[in-house]
Every structure is written in structure tokens, then in C-alpha cells.
């Protein structure tokens, strides 16, 4: 058998450079694909978190407003407040609702005073431990980056921009809430008030 000479025993410099170039291109494509996948996962997680927050807000408002009761409350000075108040100011909604959870069978009422406020681009839900003459508890942030909140109240087939009836025990039939947040399409939801479910 003839013996191979030294020039036939290995790769040439050109072959080595071409193989390194191909390996570099494959590596760059892999890194780009991994980076794109990581970014897509982060965007998906952010959007899923936004959907979960919207569903949580809708569920709480559905429960609260459906169980709204015609019950006058009193502020810290003892002055009466109507059973239901709503409008476009910093205090968006104020009402009393039934169905308050009572874990541990504590000696307390099953009704609760609730207030919704727009405070520094945050939609907050504030409750009181007692319906009459108690201070507000710490607010719960229900939505952030809120630019605008619009409310309408339905009464006898007519939509009203504010709810301040002459009868302090009167409740609206329904409430329409529209929330506009930065970078997100406006969210509009309808809720029955005082339905009792």
C-alpha cells in the first residue's frame, strides 16, 4: 500500500476557516432564537398577568355590586352617607354590600362599606372594618397605570353620569365601568347592582 504524504493527512486552512464560519453562523442563529424565545415568554407572562388582574377586578366588582344593600352608613363624625354614591371625582364609588366573609366566626356584621378611588394612576378598593364611624383600612390596589375611569349608572332605562338620588336608600339597576390604562385598550364592563347573587 502506498503511503500518504503529509499534504493529504489533514484539513487545509481554508477548510478549517469555512467550518468555523459555518459553526459561528449556527451558534449566532441559536443565540438569536433563544433570545427571541425569552422575550416572547416575558411578553406572554406580562399579558397573562394583565388578563388575570382584569378578571380579578371584574369578579370583585361583580360580587360587590350584586350584593349592594340599601343601608345608610355613617362617617367618622356620625353624618349619614347614602347607601350608594357614584361619580367622576377621586371617589368613584361608595356603597354598602352584604356577603362579607367571616372566617373564624368573628362577632361582626356580614355587611361592609366599600369605596373605590382613583389615586395617582392606581385604582384602589378601600373597606372599613365597621360600616358606621370607622376609619378606612389599607387600600387594595386593583389596577395600575390607570389614565381614566368613566362610570355610568342605569336607572329606569336611562344612563346617568353620576349617582346622587334624592332617596338615600335608592340603588342603581346597573353600573358601567370603563377603565383606560397606558398601552392597553379601554376595558368596559357592566355590573348589576343589588341583584343579590
Amino acid at each position: 500500500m502506498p503511503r500518504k504524504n503529509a499534504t493529504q493527512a489533514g484539513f487545509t486552512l481554508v477548510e478549517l476557516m469555512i467550518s468555523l464560519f459555518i459553526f459561528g453562523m449556527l451558534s449566532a442563529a441559536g443565540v438569536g432564537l433563544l433570545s427571541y424565545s425569552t422575550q416572547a415568554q416575558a411578553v406572554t407572562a406580562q399579558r397573562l398577568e394583565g388578563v388575570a388582574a382584569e378578571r380579578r377586578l371584574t369578579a370583585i366588582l361583580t360580587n360587590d355590586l350584586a350584593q349592594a344593600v340599601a343601608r345608610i352608613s355613617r362617617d367618622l363624625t356620625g353624618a349619614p352617607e347614602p347607601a350608594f354614591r357614584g361619580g367622576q371625582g377621586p371617589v368613584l364609588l361608595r356603597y354598602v354590600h352584604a356577603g362579607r366573609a367571616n372566617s373564624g366566626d368573628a362577632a361582626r356584621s356580614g355587611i361592609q362599606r366599600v369605596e373605590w378611588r382613583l389615586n395617582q394612576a392606581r385604582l384602589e378598593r378601600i373597606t372599613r372594618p365597621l360600616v358606621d364611624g370607622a376609619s378606612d383600612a389599607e387600600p387594595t390596589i386593583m389596577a395600575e397605570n390607570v389614565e381614566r375611569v368613566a362610570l355610568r349608572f342605569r336607572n329606569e332605562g336611562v344612563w346617568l353620569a353620576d349617582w346622587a338620588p334624592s332617596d338615600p336608600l335608592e340603588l342603581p339597576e346597573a353600573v358601567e365601568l370603563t377603565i383606560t390604562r397606558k398601552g392597553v385598550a379601554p376595558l368596559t364592563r357592566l355590573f348589576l347592582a343589588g341583584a343579590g347573587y
Side-chain angles (χ1 to χ4, degrees), residues 65-76:
L65 293 175
Q67 298 187 46
V69 293
R71 190 338 185 136
I72 292 173
S73 61
R74 297 190 179 274
D75 64 14
L76 288 171

Side-chain angles (χ1 to χ4, degrees), residues 39 46 75 78 81 138 142 169 183:
Q39 290 173 356
Q46 183 180 9
D75 64 14
E81 294 178 334
E138 284 294 314
M142 301 304 299
L169 292 174

Side-chain angles (χ1 to χ4, degrees), residues 107-157:
R108 67 179 184 202
S109 173
I111 60 175
Q112 185 176 43
R113 182 183 174 277
V114 179
E115 192 170 283
W116 291 77
R117 295 180 194 159
L118 184 58
N119 182 18
Q120 297 178 355
R122 295 180 306 190
L123 183 61
E124 299 176 339
R125 181 180 184 264
I126 301 110
T127 60
R128 286 186 177 175
L130 303 171
V131 176
D132 298 314
S135 298
D136 294 338
E138 284 294 314
T140 302
I141 299 171
M142 301 304 299
E144 294 186 289
N145 300 320
V146 178
E147 293 180 338
R148 183 173 176 269
V149 175
L151 289 163
R152 292 195 311 161
F153 306 91
R154 189 166 180 86
N155 186 39
E156 298 178 1

Side-chain angles (χ1 to χ4, degrees), residues 54 58 175-178 187-191:
E54 288 175 5
T58 301
V175 177
E176 180 189 75
L177 170 75
T178 302
L187 172 72
T188 300
R189 294 288 184 263
L190 293 173
F191 306 95

Side-chain angles (χ1 to χ4, degrees), residues 17-33:
M17 293 298 289
I18 290 173
S19 63
L20 286 175
F21 176 73
I22 292 172
F23 179 74
M25 287 181 60
L26 290 174
S27 298
V31 168
L33 184 61

